[in-house]
Structure formats: structure tokens, C-alpha cells
Amino acid sequence: MPNTTPPNSLADYWQEQIEAWQSSGQSQQGFCQTHDLSYSRFCYWRGRLRKQASQQKSTPSSGFVPVTHLIGDGLTLVLPNGLQLRGIASDNLPVVQQLLAHLS
């Protein structure tokens, strides 16, 4: 592997190499030999990136988005059980978050 890759882009570099290997049709070892890559580093980064992708898929999103601007009487949030929280404004968002955390 060339030493010209900055440390902050190592994951990007290895992601590119793994994608190139996947489309090459070569074995992992053959690809590494052809491209002068360390096979052990290739395997390390392949495992690491696969683990990161798996963790990102399994981490559930809260489904909430930041509220940046409220108009009128504030926001009304209707929960699946029919409960409504009205008058949500930027100054009471922490309370709303606590209520929702407590309800779930």
C-alpha cells in the first residue's frame, strides 16, 4: 500500500479497495498481489468496515428530526395511541423529549 494516503481517509481508501476487489472477480489474495496491498491489512479493513456497516444498520433511528423554526402556536405531536402534545416550542423541547422518553 502506498504511504501517500492521509490517516483521516484510511477508511475511505480501504473501502475503495474493497469495492474494487468485489467488482474485479479476483480472489482477495490475488487482488492484493496485483495491487501491491498487504493481504492482512485488506482482511482487517474488510472486517472492520463490515462491522461498522452492520452496527449502523442495527442502530435504530429515533425517527425525530431537529425542529429549527416554529410558526404560530407551536407544534402538535400526535402519538400512535392518540395522545397529543400541543404547544411544543423551542423553549420546552427538553421537557417534550423527557416525556417521550418516559412514554416509550
Side-chain angles (χ1 to χ4, degrees):
M1 178 181 99
N3 289 334
T4 58
T5 307
N8 62 350
S9 65
L10 273 175
D12 292 337
Y13 171 81
W14 283 105
Q15 183 65 45
E16 290 174 9
Q17 298 309 310
I18 291 165
E19 289 171 3
W21 159 70
Q22 289 172 330
S23 63
S24 74
Q26 293 181 297
S27 69
Q28 293 177 24
Q29 284 185 325
F31 181 83
C32 290
Q33 287 175 345
T34 302
H35 294 87
D36 196 28
L37 299 172
S38 164
Y39 178 67
S40 60
R41 284 190 183 182
F42 180 90
C43 292
Y44 166 80
W45 278 99
R46 184 169 179 247
R48 181 175 171 176
L49 293 169
R50 187 182 325 170
K51 183 178 177 182
Q52 286 176 352
S54 173
Q55 287 174 345
Q56 288 174 349
K57 287 180 184 176
S58 66
T59 304
S61 171
S62 69
F64 292 102
V65 295
V67 176
T68 57
H69 185 70
L70 299 175
I71 300 173
D73 295 331
L75 188 67
T76 299
L77 179 64
V78 181
L79 300 177
N81 65 359
L83 180 67
Q84 294 185 13
L85 299 175
R86 295 180 185 205
I88 300 171
S90 58
D91 59 336
N92 64 10
L93 281 177
V95 174
V96 173
Q97 288 174 325
Q98 289 175 355
L99 282 170
L100 291 173
H102 195 62
L103 291 171
S104 58

XYZ file of all heavy atoms in Angstrom:
816
model
N 0.848 -1.189 0.000
C 0.000 0.000 0.000
C 0.880 1.234 0.000
O 1.802 1.336 0.789
C -0.880 -0.011 1.258
C -1.773 1.211 1.367
S -2.794 1.217 2.847
C -1.800 2.286 3.862
N 0.625 2.194 -0.845
C 1.414 3.422 -0.857
C 1.209 4.202 0.435
O 0.127 4.224 1.000
C 0.862 4.206 -2.048
C -0.129 3.339 -2.737
C -0.372 2.158 -1.889
N 2.268 4.867 0.892
C 2.200 5.638 2.132
C 1.757 7.070 1.903
O 1.984 7.934 2.719
C 3.558 5.626 2.844
C 3.859 4.260 3.421
O 2.959 3.497 3.728
N 5.136 3.943 3.549
N 1.120 7.354 0.778
C 0.689 8.716 0.473
C -0.730 9.002 0.954
O -1.227 10.093 0.785
C 0.748 8.963 -1.047
O -0.084 7.998 -1.686
C 2.179 8.842 -1.556
N -1.392 8.006 1.543
C -2.766 8.176 1.986
C -2.791 8.827 3.366
O -2.210 8.303 4.294
C -3.471 6.809 2.063
O -3.313 6.155 0.824
C -4.930 6.971 2.377
N -3.449 9.985 3.519
C -3.533 10.609 4.829
C -4.323 9.735 5.799
O -5.259 9.041 5.390
C -4.289 11.918 4.570
C -4.302 12.097 3.098
C -4.084 10.764 2.480
N -3.973 9.734 7.099
C -4.631 8.863 8.072
C -6.143 9.052 8.154
O -6.871 8.105 8.357
C -3.981 9.240 9.404
C -2.711 9.900 9.047
C -2.909 10.505 7.684
N -6.652 10.277 7.983
C -8.081 10.505 8.140
C -8.897 9.924 7.004
O -10.112 9.869 7.082
C -8.390 11.991 8.331
C -7.981 12.827 7.138
O -7.312 12.343 6.239
N -8.378 14.075 7.133
N -8.257 9.500 5.940
C -9.012 8.918 4.835
C -8.687 7.433 4.640
O -8.995 6.876 3.591
C -8.761 9.691 3.547
O -7.420 9.563 3.166
N -8.102 6.801 5.657
C -7.765 5.384 5.531
C -9.003 4.527 5.308
O -8.995 3.625 4.469
C -7.024 4.888 6.777
C -5.520 5.076 6.776
C -4.923 4.658 8.109
C -4.872 4.294 5.645
N -10.055 4.795 6.042
C -11.280 4.006 5.876
C -11.823 4.175 4.460
O -12.256 3.201 3.839
C -12.315 4.412 6.918
N -11.789 5.401 3.942
C -12.248 5.651 2.572
C -11.377 4.910 1.565
O -11.877 4.318 0.604
C -12.242 7.145 2.256
C -13.272 7.925 3.043
O -14.274 7.320 3.489
O -13.071 9.139 3.221
N -10.060 4.952 1.790
C -9.128 4.276 0.902
C -9.427 2.779 0.846
O -9.547 2.194 -0.233
C -7.688 4.506 1.372
C -6.685 3.667 0.620
C -6.221 4.061 -0.634
C -6.208 2.469 1.153
C -5.316 3.287 -1.329
C -5.309 1.686 0.459
C -4.855 2.101 -0.777
O -3.970 1.322 -1.477
N -9.580 2.159 2.027
C -9.814 0.725 2.067
C -11.204 0.368 1.551
O -11.393 -0.682 0.941
C -9.552 0.172 3.464
C -8.074 0.045 3.690
C -7.280 0.848 4.441
C -7.212 -0.922 3.096
N -5.972 0.433 4.351
C -5.904 -0.646 3.544
C -7.406 -1.989 2.236
C -4.804 -1.412 3.152
C -6.314 -2.752 1.852
C -5.024 -2.464 2.307
N -12.168 1.239 1.765
C -13.494 0.993 1.206
C -13.421 0.955 -0.322
O -14.022 0.093 -0.960
C -14.485 2.073 1.663
C -15.906 1.848 1.185
C -16.531 0.592 1.760
O -16.421 0.321 2.945
N -17.199 -0.185 0.918
N -12.650 1.861 -0.895
C -12.462 1.876 -2.355
C -11.774 0.592 -2.831
O -12.153 0.030 -3.861
C -11.642 3.089 -2.771
C -12.366 4.407 -2.629
C -11.477 5.605 -2.904
O -10.323 5.421 -3.370
O -11.928 6.731 -2.649
N -10.756 0.138 -2.088
C -10.039 -1.078 -2.466
C -10.965 -2.294 -2.406
O -10.954 -3.144 -3.302
C -8.820 -1.300 -1.561
C -7.778 -0.207 -1.618
C -7.349 0.125 -3.042
O -7.019 -0.761 -3.834
N -7.368 1.400 -3.372
N -11.781 -2.358 -1.362
C -12.693 -3.499 -1.203
C -13.746 -3.498 -2.300
O -14.066 -4.543 -2.878
C -13.315 -3.476 0.209
C -12.218 -3.785 1.237
C -14.480 -4.450 0.321
C -12.565 -3.449 2.657
N -14.262 -2.327 -2.635
C -15.234 -2.242 -3.733
C -14.596 -2.634 -5.058
O -15.223 -3.310 -5.881
C -15.829 -0.837 -3.794
C -16.776 -0.543 -2.639
C -17.205 0.915 -2.557
O -16.817 1.722 -3.439
O -17.936 1.246 -1.608
N -13.339 -2.221 -5.266
C -12.637 -2.591 -6.496
C -12.419 -4.103 -6.550
O -12.571 -4.736 -7.604
C -11.307 -1.852 -6.585
N -12.067 -4.715 -5.416
C -11.895 -6.166 -5.361
C -13.207 -6.877 -5.689
O -13.220 -7.825 -6.471
C -11.402 -6.594 -3.976
C -11.689 -8.040 -3.702
C -11.090 -9.116 -4.301
C -12.686 -8.570 -2.839
N -11.651 -10.283 -3.843
C -12.631 -9.963 -2.930
C -13.614 -7.993 -1.978
C -13.468 -10.803 -2.210
C -14.438 -8.819 -1.242
C -14.369 -10.200 -1.363
N -14.324 -6.395 -5.117
C -15.613 -7.041 -5.333
C -16.005 -7.041 -6.810
O -16.608 -7.995 -7.289
C -16.700 -6.367 -4.492
C -16.552 -6.665 -3.013
C -17.505 -5.849 -2.154
O -17.873 -4.732 -2.492
N -17.893 -6.403 -1.008
N -15.656 -5.999 -7.510
C -16.025 -5.940 -8.933
C -14.954 -6.560 -9.834
O -15.173 -6.684 -11.038
C -16.295 -4.490 -9.343
O -15.126 -3.716 -9.209
N -13.828 -6.956 -9.251
C -12.727 -7.478 -10.070
C -12.884 -8.942 -10.456
O -12.321 -9.380 -11.457
C -11.395 -7.313 -9.324
O -11.297 -8.265 -8.265
N -13.590 -9.708 -9.642
C -13.698 -11.136 -9.907
C -12.495 -11.928 -9.434
O -12.441 -13.141 -9.599
N -11.525 -11.266 -8.842
C -10.331 -11.939 -8.346
C -10.548 -12.424 -6.914
O -11.440 -11.952 -6.208
C -9.140 -10.974 -8.328
C -8.656 -10.532 -9.683
C -7.473 -9.593 -9.555
O -7.612 -8.509 -9.000
N -6.321 -10.021 -10.060
N -9.675 -13.334 -6.496
C -9.667 -13.724 -5.087
C -9.086 -12.554 -4.290
O -8.456 -11.644 -4.861
C -8.799 -14.968 -4.879
O -7.424 -14.649 -5.096
N -9.293 -12.573 -2.993
C -8.750 -11.496 -2.159
C -7.229 -11.450 -2.263
O -6.645 -10.377 -2.451
C -9.172 -11.681 -0.703
C -10.655 -11.496 -0.478
C -11.057 -11.746 0.960
O -10.254 -11.629 1.880
N -12.315 -12.086 1.162
N -6.597 -12.617 -2.155
C -5.137 -12.655 -2.228
C -4.637 -12.215 -3.601
O -3.663 -11.470 -3.708
C -4.611 -14.048 -1.900
C -4.641 -14.346 -0.414
C -3.993 -15.678 -0.092
O -4.093 -16.640 -0.860
N -3.323 -15.737 1.046
N -5.300 -12.667 -4.639
C -4.898 -12.276 -5.991
C -5.020 -10.776 -6.208
O -4.138 -10.141 -6.800
N -6.116 -10.198 -5.728
C -6.310 -8.755 -5.853
C -5.214 -8.005 -5.103
O -4.647 -7.041 -5.626
C -7.693 -8.361 -5.314
C -7.977 -6.890 -5.422
C -8.457 -6.344 -6.607
C -7.752 -6.035 -4.348
C -8.717 -4.981 -6.721
C -8.005 -4.680 -4.441
C -8.481 -4.141 -5.631
N -4.915 -8.452 -3.888
C -3.884 -7.781 -3.092
C -2.516 -7.875 -3.767
O -1.768 -6.897 -3.781
C -3.835 -8.376 -1.681
S -5.285 -7.961 -0.698
N -2.192 -9.029 -4.344
C -0.916 -9.175 -5.038
C -0.856 -8.270 -6.264
O 0.149 -7.594 -6.506
C -0.693 -10.630 -5.448
C -0.370 -11.527 -4.284
C -0.278 -12.991 -4.682
O -0.721 -13.386 -5.773
N 0.262 -13.808 -3.784
N -1.929 -8.238 -7.022
C -1.983 -7.422 -8.232
C -1.823 -5.945 -7.920
O -1.175 -5.204 -8.670
C -3.319 -7.646 -8.976
O -3.447 -9.017 -9.296
C -3.403 -6.807 -10.240
N -2.401 -5.502 -6.802
C -2.412 -4.077 -6.450
C -1.405 -3.712 -5.356
O -1.458 -2.622 -4.799
C -3.823 -3.651 -6.045
C -4.780 -3.719 -7.184
N -5.464 -4.872 -7.521
C -5.140 -2.792 -8.104
C -6.214 -4.646 -8.567
N -6.037 -3.394 -8.954
N -0.494 -4.646 -5.073
C 0.568 -4.412 -4.090
C -0.004 -3.950 -2.741
O 0.440 -2.961 -2.147
C 1.574 -3.383 -4.628
C 2.880 -3.391 -3.829
O 3.228 -4.447 -3.259
O 3.524 -2.322 -3.749
N -1.023 -4.695 -2.269
C -1.651 -4.406 -0.983
C -1.293 -5.495 0.014
O -1.130 -6.657 -0.360
C -3.179 -4.357 -1.123
C -3.765 -3.318 -2.060
C -5.255 -3.544 -2.232
C -3.501 -1.920 -1.530
N -1.215 -5.130 1.267
C -0.996 -6.110 2.318
C -2.282 -6.906 2.506
O -3.338 -6.345 2.802
C -0.634 -5.399 3.623
O -0.765 -6.280 4.720
N -2.184 -8.231 2.345
C -3.366 -9.079 2.471
C -3.935 -9.010 3.894
O -5.146 -8.958 4.070
C -3.021 -10.516 2.094
C -4.167 -11.474 2.250
C -5.290 -11.384 1.444
C -4.126 -12.483 3.214
C -6.352 -12.261 1.582
C -5.185 -13.364 3.361
C -6.291 -13.242 2.549
O -7.345 -14.109 2.701
N -3.075 -8.982 4.892
C -3.573 -8.939 6.272
C -4.286 -7.613 6.553
O -5.311 -7.590 7.231
C -2.441 -9.168 7.278
O -1.442 -8.178 7.145
N -3.764 -6.520 6.032
C -4.458 -5.228 6.208
C -5.784 -5.208 5.461
O -6.775 -4.671 5.932
C -3.580 -4.074 5.731
C -2.490 -3.739 6.691
C -1.813 -2.467 6.305
N -0.715 -2.211 7.220
C 0.045 -1.156 7.162
N -0.152 -0.253 6.215
N 1.014 -0.984 8.022
N -5.789 -5.795 4.276
C -7.016 -5.888 3.497
C -8.091 -6.627 4.308
O -9.228 -6.157 4.423
C -6.739 -6.626 2.181
C -7.932 -6.777 1.297
C -8.241 -5.813 0.350
C -8.762 -7.891 1.397
C -9.349 -5.950 -0.480
C -9.873 -8.030 0.576
C -10.165 -7.060 -0.364
N -7.727 -7.764 4.887
C -8.684 -8.549 5.686
C -9.127 -7.779 6.923
O -10.306 -7.808 7.295
C -8.064 -9.880 6.091
S -7.804 -11.005 4.703
N -8.174 -7.085 7.567
C -8.519 -6.290 8.746
C -9.555 -5.227 8.393
O -10.580 -5.103 9.055
C -7.265 -5.626 9.323
C -7.578 -4.530 10.317
C -7.915 -4.834 11.617
C -7.554 -3.195 9.937
C -8.215 -3.833 12.531
C -7.853 -2.185 10.832
C -8.177 -2.511 12.133
O -8.478 -1.517 13.028
N -9.292 -4.456 7.333
C -10.196 -3.371 6.959
C -11.519 -3.908 6.427
O -12.580 -3.322 6.670
C -9.534 -2.433 5.957
C -8.647 -1.453 6.651
C -7.296 -1.519 6.784
C -9.063 -0.287 7.365
N -6.846 -0.458 7.525
C -7.920 0.311 7.895
C -10.303 0.298 7.602
C -7.962 1.479 8.641
C -10.358 1.465 8.349
C -9.198 2.045 8.863
N -11.502 -5.018 5.751
C -12.754 -5.601 5.264
C -13.641 -5.972 6.448
O -14.830 -5.664 6.465
C -12.468 -6.819 4.400
C -13.715 -7.402 3.796
C -13.370 -8.452 2.734
N -14.598 -8.998 2.208
C -14.984 -10.267 2.400
N -14.208 -11.091 3.054
N -16.118 -10.675 1.916
N -13.061 -6.591 7.470
C -13.815 -6.939 8.673
C -14.288 -5.718 9.433
O -15.429 -5.659 9.899
N -13.405 -4.747 9.553
C -13.755 -3.532 10.297
C -14.891 -2.764 9.619
O -15.836 -2.322 10.279
C -12.518 -2.651 10.427
C -12.769 -1.380 11.196
C -11.489 -0.614 11.406
N -11.783 0.699 11.961
C -10.872 1.562 12.323
N -9.594 1.263 12.206
N -11.212 2.729 12.806
N -14.803 -2.606 8.312
C -15.836 -1.874 7.583
C -17.152 -2.643 7.562
O -18.227 -2.049 7.633
C -15.358 -1.553 6.170
C -14.185 -0.563 6.107
C -13.615 -0.503 4.702
C -14.600 0.812 6.595
N -17.070 -3.964 7.486
C -18.286 -4.775 7.519
C -18.965 -4.638 8.890
O -20.180 -4.515 8.972
C -17.958 -6.232 7.243
C -19.198 -7.081 7.095
C -18.916 -8.540 6.858
N -17.753 -8.782 6.055
C -17.211 -9.971 5.879
N -17.731 -11.025 6.444
N -16.146 -10.129 5.136
N -18.161 -4.639 9.950
C -18.706 -4.492 11.307
C -19.364 -3.113 11.479
O -20.444 -2.996 12.047
C -17.599 -4.675 12.334
C -18.072 -4.624 13.759
C -16.933 -4.870 14.729
C -17.403 -4.744 16.161
N -16.310 -4.926 17.116
N -18.709 -2.066 10.983
C -19.280 -0.715 11.075
C -20.603 -0.630 10.326
O -21.560 -0.044 10.815
C -18.307 0.321 10.512
C -17.136 0.615 11.403
C -16.143 1.576 10.762
O -16.241 1.920 9.587
N -15.167 2.004 11.538
N -20.657 -1.221 9.143
C -21.891 -1.190 8.356
C -23.002 -1.949 9.076
O -24.153 -1.513 9.094
C -21.645 -1.782 6.968
N -22.643 -3.063 9.697
C -23.631 -3.857 10.426
C -24.160 -3.092 11.634
O -25.358 -3.117 11.925
C -22.994 -5.168 10.870
O -23.867 -5.881 11.705
N -23.279 -2.395 12.348
C -23.698 -1.614 13.506
C -24.593 -0.459 13.093
O -25.550 -0.136 13.777
C -22.482 -1.086 14.262
C -21.742 -2.146 15.022
C -20.456 -1.637 15.641
O -19.954 -0.579 15.292
N -19.910 -2.409 16.563
N -24.301 0.166 11.975
C -25.129 1.274 11.506
C -26.521 0.793 11.124
O -27.502 1.475 11.357
C -24.468 1.976 10.317
C -23.264 2.780 10.706
C -22.534 3.351 9.502
O -22.799 2.994 8.370
N -21.587 4.239 9.758
N -26.618 -0.399 10.552
C -27.909 -0.941 10.166
C -28.725 -1.347 11.390
O -29.934 -1.223 11.398
C -27.733 -2.156 9.259
C -27.272 -1.821 7.876
C -27.123 -3.070 7.048
C -26.560 -2.758 5.679
N -26.330 -3.967 4.892
N -28.038 -1.837 12.449
C -28.765 -2.337 13.608
C -29.087 -1.249 14.624
O -29.865 -1.467 15.531
C -27.964 -3.451 14.295
O -26.771 -2.929 14.844
N -28.506 -0.061 14.492
C -28.796 1.029 15.408
C -30.081 1.710 14.952
O -30.117 2.334 13.904
C -27.642 2.060 15.427
O -26.441 1.390 15.756
C -27.909 3.157 16.435
N -31.138 1.559 15.760
C -32.396 2.162 15.328
C -32.349 3.680 15.421
O -31.777 4.245 16.344
C -33.426 1.593 16.307
C -32.640 1.229 17.512
C -31.259 0.879 17.025
N -32.948 4.304 14.456
C -33.057 5.750 14.455
C -34.245 6.138 15.303
O -35.238 5.424 15.364
C -33.250 6.241 13.023
O -33.556 7.612 13.020
N -34.157 7.264 15.980
C -35.267 7.705 16.817
C -36.447 8.142 15.963
O -37.581 8.184 16.437
C -34.826 8.874 17.705
O -34.601 10.030 16.925
N -36.205 8.471 14.718
C -37.271 8.927 13.849
C -37.559 10.409 14.004
O -38.438 10.945 13.351
N -36.843 11.083 14.871
C -37.059 12.507 15.093
C -36.068 13.317 14.282
O -34.951 12.885 14.040
C -36.911 12.866 16.578
C -38.001 12.299 17.428
C -37.787 11.174 18.194
C -39.257 12.887 17.455
C -38.808 10.646 18.975
C -40.270 12.372 18.226
C -40.048 11.249 18.988
N -36.479 14.482 13.881
C -35.607 15.418 13.201
C -35.567 16.707 14.001
O -36.518 17.030 14.711
C -36.089 15.712 11.754
C -36.013 14.465 10.896
C -37.480 16.274 11.747
N -34.490 17.455 13.922
C -34.420 18.708 14.670
C -35.465 19.714 14.182
O -35.713 19.819 12.984
C -33.014 19.239 14.395
C -32.284 18.165 13.690
C -33.274 17.175 13.192
N -36.068 20.419 15.115
C -37.016 21.476 14.777
C -36.245 22.785 14.806
O -35.651 23.144 15.814
C -38.182 21.523 15.790
C -39.108 22.688 15.495
C -38.927 20.209 15.775
N -36.245 23.491 13.682
C -35.468 24.721 13.616
C -36.328 25.975 13.640
O -35.843 27.040 13.960
C -34.604 24.734 12.338
O -35.453 24.581 11.201
C -33.575 23.617 12.374
N -37.606 25.844 13.283
C -38.449 27.033 13.232
C -39.903 26.634 13.474
O -40.418 25.738 12.828
C -38.330 27.714 11.868
C -39.080 29.006 11.778
N -38.688 30.129 12.453
C -40.191 29.330 11.108
C -39.542 31.105 12.189
N -40.470 30.644 11.375
N -40.525 27.290 14.427
C -41.929 27.011 14.730
C -42.757 28.241 14.417
O -42.362 29.363 14.693
C -42.101 26.631 16.206
C -41.355 25.376 16.660
C -41.510 25.186 18.149
C -41.878 24.161 15.919
N -43.930 28.030 13.850
C -44.809 29.136 13.479
C -46.098 29.031 14.291
O -46.600 27.942 14.546
C -45.141 29.075 11.973
C -43.856 29.172 11.161
C -46.115 30.154 11.574
C -44.038 28.950 9.688
N -46.656 30.144 14.678
C -47.952 30.163 15.347
C -47.886 29.651 16.776
O -47.025 30.033 17.546
N -48.825 28.759 17.110
C -48.957 28.268 18.477
C -48.008 27.122 18.800
O -48.171 26.456 19.817
C -50.397 27.807 18.724
C -51.378 28.955 18.642
O -50.981 30.100 18.942
O -52.529 28.697 18.256
N -47.081 26.851 17.972
C -46.154 25.757 18.222
C -46.549 24.516 17.454
O -47.456 24.513 16.634
N -45.888 23.483 17.776
C -46.039 22.219 17.077
C -46.941 21.299 17.885
O -46.932 21.326 19.111
C -44.644 21.594 16.934
C -44.458 20.378 16.087
C -44.695 20.706 14.626
C -43.039 19.861 16.251
N -47.724 20.467 17.205
C -48.531 19.450 17.853
C -48.013 18.092 17.411
O -47.847 17.849 16.216
C -50.021 19.572 17.478
O -50.487 20.847 17.909
C -50.845 18.485 18.135
N -47.756 17.249 18.375
C -47.261 15.913 18.106
C -48.363 14.932 18.476
O -48.847 14.934 19.606
C -45.998 15.633 18.927
C -45.363 14.274 18.792
C -44.852 14.067 17.379
C -44.224 14.132 19.784
N -48.780 14.104 17.513
C -49.811 13.105 17.754
C -49.136 11.737 17.778
O -48.533 11.313 16.787
C -50.902 13.148 16.664
C -51.975 12.106 16.945
C -51.505 14.538 16.565
N -49.224 11.061 18.903
C -48.604 9.752 19.056
C -49.537 8.665 18.515
O -50.742 8.888 18.380
C -48.292 9.504 20.527
C -47.340 10.528 21.164
C -47.160 10.242 22.641
C -45.999 10.535 20.466
N -48.996 7.488 18.206
C -49.824 6.411 17.652
C -51.028 6.028 18.526
O -52.048 5.598 18.019
C -48.853 5.233 17.525
C -47.505 5.866 17.418
C -47.581 7.106 18.250
N -50.918 6.216 19.828
C -52.034 5.859 20.713
C -53.088 6.964 20.798
O -54.039 6.866 21.564
C -51.530 5.501 22.101
C -50.883 6.667 22.819
O -50.790 7.770 22.284
N -50.413 6.419 24.024
N -52.907 8.050 20.036
C -53.870 9.140 20.020
C -53.531 10.287 20.944
O -54.131 11.361 20.867
N -52.563 10.097 21.833
C -52.147 11.166 22.743
C -51.563 12.315 21.932
O -50.792 12.104 21.008
C -51.104 10.640 23.728
C -50.558 11.610 24.750
C -51.652 12.023 25.727
C -49.403 10.995 25.490
N -51.955 13.534 22.276
C -51.462 14.711 21.568
C -50.683 15.609 22.517
O -51.137 15.875 23.626
C -52.625 15.511 20.978
C -53.369 14.794 19.889
C -54.441 15.673 19.258
O -54.474 16.880 19.474
N -55.293 15.064 18.462
N -49.535 16.036 22.073
C -48.743 17.034 22.799
C -48.815 18.312 21.978
O -48.346 18.360 20.846
C -47.295 16.578 22.957
C -47.066 15.283 23.737
C -45.594 14.907 23.702
C -47.540 15.438 25.160
N -49.433 19.338 22.551
C -49.623 20.595 21.822
C -48.762 21.691 22.414
O -48.389 21.654 23.573
C -51.084 21.023 21.890
C -51.990 20.071 21.182
C -53.410 20.512 21.269
N -54.263 19.495 20.673
C -55.434 19.719 20.177
N -55.949 20.939 20.200
N -56.135 18.744 19.651
N -48.514 22.692 21.604
C -47.775 23.859 22.067
C -46.292 23.613 22.225
O -45.618 24.261 23.007
N -45.757 22.665 21.463
C -44.317 22.383 21.532
C -43.582 23.543 20.883
O -43.873 23.935 19.760
C -43.981 21.062 20.824
C -44.740 19.913 21.492
C -42.488 20.814 20.829
C -44.646 18.600 20.733
N -42.671 24.107 21.625
C -41.874 25.237 21.139
C -40.423 24.992 21.513
O -40.103 24.098 22.294
C -42.388 26.540 21.757
N -39.548 25.801 20.958
C -38.118 25.596 21.193
C -37.748 25.701 22.664
O -36.804 25.057 23.117
C -37.299 26.593 20.372
O -37.662 27.915 20.698
N -38.499 26.461 23.447
C -38.147 26.614 24.863
C -38.624 25.446 25.727
O -38.214 25.322 26.871
C -38.688 27.942 25.420
C -40.198 28.052 25.309
O -40.772 27.386 24.445
O -40.784 28.821 26.089
N -39.478 24.561 25.201
C -39.906 23.424 26.004
C -39.546 22.063 25.384
O -40.057 21.038 25.805
C -41.408 23.496 26.315
C -42.283 23.409 25.088
O -41.812 23.116 24.004
N -43.561 23.681 25.271
N -38.659 22.062 24.401
C -38.248 20.813 23.766
C -37.619 19.818 24.743
O -37.904 18.627 24.658
C -37.309 21.076 22.593
C -37.986 21.526 21.301
C -36.940 21.815 20.231
C -38.971 20.506 20.806
N -36.786 20.262 25.703
C -36.229 19.283 26.647
C -37.321 18.557 27.439
O -37.219 17.353 27.681
C -35.338 20.126 27.560
C -34.963 21.307 26.725
C -36.165 21.577 25.874
N -38.374 19.253 27.814
C -39.466 18.627 28.552
C -40.192 17.619 27.665
O -40.527 16.512 28.093
C -40.449 19.694 29.096
C -41.656 19.041 29.738
C -39.749 20.618 30.062
N -40.413 17.983 26.420
C -41.077 17.083 25.474
C -40.232 15.826 25.277
O -40.753 14.708 25.279
C -41.346 17.801 24.128
C -41.869 16.830 23.084
C -42.304 18.951 24.331
N -38.930 15.998 25.144
C -38.038 14.851 24.980
C -38.105 13.937 26.196
O -38.140 12.713 26.063
C -36.608 15.312 24.731
C -36.405 15.917 23.363
C -35.015 16.502 23.178
O -34.424 17.042 24.116
N -34.505 16.407 21.964
N -38.137 14.498 27.389
C -38.235 13.697 28.604
C -39.560 12.950 28.661
O -39.602 11.771 29.028
C -38.071 14.573 29.841
C -36.664 15.081 30.038
C -36.553 16.055 31.200
O -37.553 16.428 31.806
N -35.333 16.463 31.519
N -40.642 13.614 28.291
C -41.951 12.961 28.271
C -41.964 11.785 27.292
O -42.448 10.706 27.622
C -43.044 13.972 27.869
C -43.526 14.935 28.932
C -44.406 15.997 28.294
C -44.311 14.190 29.994
N -41.452 12.014 26.114
C -41.439 10.952 25.109
C -40.548 9.781 25.536
O -40.904 8.622 25.320
C -40.996 11.499 23.762
C -41.989 12.450 23.089
C -41.377 13.068 21.848
C -43.273 11.721 22.757
N -39.430 10.088 26.142
C -38.545 9.024 26.624
C -39.250 8.215 27.706
O -39.124 6.987 27.764
C -37.237 9.612 27.138
N -39.989 8.893 28.557
C -40.697 8.233 29.646
C -41.867 7.388 29.117
O -42.180 6.336 29.666
C -41.202 9.274 30.646
C -41.614 8.714 31.958
N -40.737 8.056 32.778
C -42.820 8.687 32.570
C -41.371 7.654 33.850
N -42.644 8.009 33.754
N -42.506 7.832 28.058
C -43.653 7.128 27.489
C -43.254 5.900 26.673
O -44.044 4.969 26.527
C -44.482 8.060 26.606
C -45.242 9.164 27.332
C -45.836 10.136 26.326
C -46.327 8.571 28.220
N -42.050 5.906 26.145
C -41.651 4.781 25.274
C -41.040 3.640 26.034
O -40.837 3.601 27.153
C -40.695 5.239 24.196
O -39.544 5.823 24.739
